[in-house]
Amino acid sequence: TQHVAGLGGHGDGRGRLVMTQNMARNGDLYIWANGAAAAPDEFTLSGAGAAVARTGAGEADTTSLGVGLYAAKVTFGAASALLTQPVIPTPTLNSEDSNLRTQVVSAAVRVKTSVATQARVGIFDGQSTTWSSYHSGGGGNETLTVVHTIHASADRLDLILTVDAAG
């Protein structure tokens, strides 16, 4: 039950430039302070039985998606596996970033899987979630893109990668 994903990004993944650049922190999946078998920094893994592993150069699994040195291999357990990043957490969106409400944001995630309707990416703002289409399951790298209009009452902005099926 495997799925490999990587986010596009530049630099060390710590900077955030709103509206003109990648807002995801550690979007290149370069930083894994808790080890190669824990979620990469700035991300949380959830879902019953879900697992994550770092892949890429120097790792047991050398799979690379051509977007930085590493990718995250997310494995479905007994329920959907979610790798989530709070791009803008609740207190921040309620104060300094409140001008983002009603704005359009997008995310693109590089994904590889051999199972159709297994993996997709979403953006959640506390009020609604917009999902990309699922990966085709053709076994190759695909860039999944989602475009989301932030709700006028949004209280957060989360990037979600979900693996919804075993395979």
Side-chain angles (χ1 to χ4, degrees):
T1 310
Q2 301 174 356
H3 166 75
V4 180
L7 297 168
H10 297 88
D12 67 0
R14 291 291 183 192
R16 184 179 97 182
L17 298 175
V18 177
M19 304 301 281
T20 60
Q21 297 284 329
N22 186 352
M23 293 171 57
R25 296 172 312 281
N26 196 25
D28 55 6
L29 303 178
Y30 185 74
I31 305 167
W32 297 66
N34 293 318
D41 284 26
E42 308 293 346
F43 290 86
T44 302
L45 178 69
S46 62
V52 64
R54 180 174 61 205
T55 69
E59 301 298 323
D61 181 338
T62 59
T63 301
S64 171
L65 301 178
V67 186
L69 293 176
Y70 303 116
K73 180 178 183 177
V74 181
T75 304
F76 180 91
S80 292
L82 289 91
L83 193 61
T84 304
Q85 180 181 110
V87 177
I88 302 176
T90 299
T92 305
L93 189 59
N94 285 336
S95 59
E96 62 202 63
D97 287 335
S98 63
N99 61 324
L100 291 177
R101 290 188 179 115
T102 72
Q103 299 299 307
V104 176
V105 294
S106 63
V109 179
R110 194 81 163 153
V111 176
K112 179 179 180 181
T113 182
S114 296
V115 179
T117 67
Q118 181 186 37
R120 62 183 176 166
V121 62
I123 297 174
F124 174 64
D125 64 15
Q127 302 297 316
S128 64
T129 306
T130 303
W131 294 102
S132 70
S133 58
Y134 279 100
H135 188 286
S136 71
N141 296 344
E142 295 179 17
T143 301
L144 304 182
T145 303
V146 59
V147 177
H148 178 81
T149 301
I150 301 173
H151 193 278
S153 299
D155 62 5
R156 64 187 317 127
L157 190 64
D158 293 349
L159 175 64
I160 307 165
L161 170 70
T162 182
V163 177
D164 290 329

